[in-house]
């Protein structure tokens, strides 16, 4: 764990031993979430605030992705799930959608070696069938190349919608009922869970949304059922290590009760 992780040399050239002490308190480090999900919002406004076209904001957003992947990886967080393109984002102007697709393709092509070298396992979640065949092949190639990696699991949500995810899980189960493999009484919460994206990963503990809006925008609906929510005004391209640490500190300060009372939780913790 002491090796340098070079996701973006010069910007995030941080070794674990240099980064952690003093920046994250021991309390926060002892209470890190296993699974963090982020709605990376605010790219367009970031660029527009600077009098630049929105696409510049998306490009700056990619740099923020590199930074946060690097930090999450060094902290030993198990899974990081990033909302990159929603099933509703097709409604944007054609030009912006085309640019986003192009950017996605280029980033996959350019970053995969570095992700692989840093033991990151890439997993694209969403309905990729709507993407061009060129992009689909790139996605499959990138996933295959990193599938045996044992470090951070990086889920990138692309053409993803929380409702789609639940519907596709139910559809798979319905097919099993139809074929007689299971009966309808086996269509339980646990069964649905097993057919959702990210079914083998830890539950989402912390969900962050940048960009100042207070909504979920059809991101992971089922998986975030008990996630702690952190909303920040910071626009995604400005979300840096310090901002991430701040969100982790907020997470560490929360009491997760899962339906119990505060005193019950204290009793359990005292055991
Ligand atoms: C998030 O930033 C990135 C995508 C949805 C692709 P936006 O593009 O939504 O930025 P704002 O919200 O318009 O500022
Ligand atoms: C959510 O951002 C989707 C992504 C971050 C990819 P949007 O900017 O599309 O969300 P809404 O439409 O404002 O809720
Ligand atoms: Mg937005």
């Amino acid at each position: 764990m002491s090796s340098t992780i070079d996701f973006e040399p010069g910007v995030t050239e941080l070794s674990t031993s240099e980064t952690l002490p003093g920046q994250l308190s021991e309390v926060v480090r002892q209470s890190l979430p296993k699974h963090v999900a982020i709605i990376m919002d605010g790219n367009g406004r970031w660029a527009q605030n600077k009098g630049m076209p929105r696409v510049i904001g998306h490009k700056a957003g990619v740099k923020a992705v590199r930074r946060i992947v690097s930090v999450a990886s060094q902290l030993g967080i198990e899974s990081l799930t990033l909302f990159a393109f929603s099933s509703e984002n097709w409604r944007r102007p054609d030009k912006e959608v085309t640019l986003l697709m192009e950017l996605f393709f280029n980033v996959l092509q350019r970053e995969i070696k570095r992700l692989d070298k840093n033991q990151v396992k890439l997993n694209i979640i969403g309905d990729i069938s709507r993407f061009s065949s060129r992009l689909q092949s790139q996605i499959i190639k990138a996933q295959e190349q990193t599938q045996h990696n044992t470090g951070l699991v990086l889920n990138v949500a692309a053409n993803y919608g929380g409702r789609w995810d639940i519907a596709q899980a139910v559809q798979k189960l319905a097919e099993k009922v139809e074929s007689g493999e299971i009966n309808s009484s086996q269509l339980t919460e646990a069964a649905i869970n097993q057919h959702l994206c990210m079914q083998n990963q830890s539950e989402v503990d912390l969900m962050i949304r940048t960009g100042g809006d207070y909504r979920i925008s059809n991101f992971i609906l089922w998986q975030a059922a008990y996630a702690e929510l952190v909303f920040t005004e910071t626009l995604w391209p400005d979300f840096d290590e310090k901002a991430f640490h701040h969100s982790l500190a907020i997470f560490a300060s929360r009491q997760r009760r899962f339906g119990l009372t505060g005193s019950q939780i204290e009793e359990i913790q005292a055991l």
Side-chain angles (χ1 to χ4, degrees), residues 177-191:
V177 173
E178 224 167 43
S179 69
E181 193 180 323
I182 59 170
N183 59 48
S184 61
S185 67
Q186 288 169 291
L187 222 158
T188 58
E189 276 190 25

Side-chain angles (χ1 to χ4, degrees), residues 23 35 45 53 98 118 144 152 173 200 231 234 239 246 259:
Q23 295 201 17
H35 191 158
R45 278 165 288 161
T98 308
N118 289 293
E144 277 173 0
L152 175 76
L173 282 165
N200 297 322
F231 296 95
T234 305
F239 195 78
H246 186 61

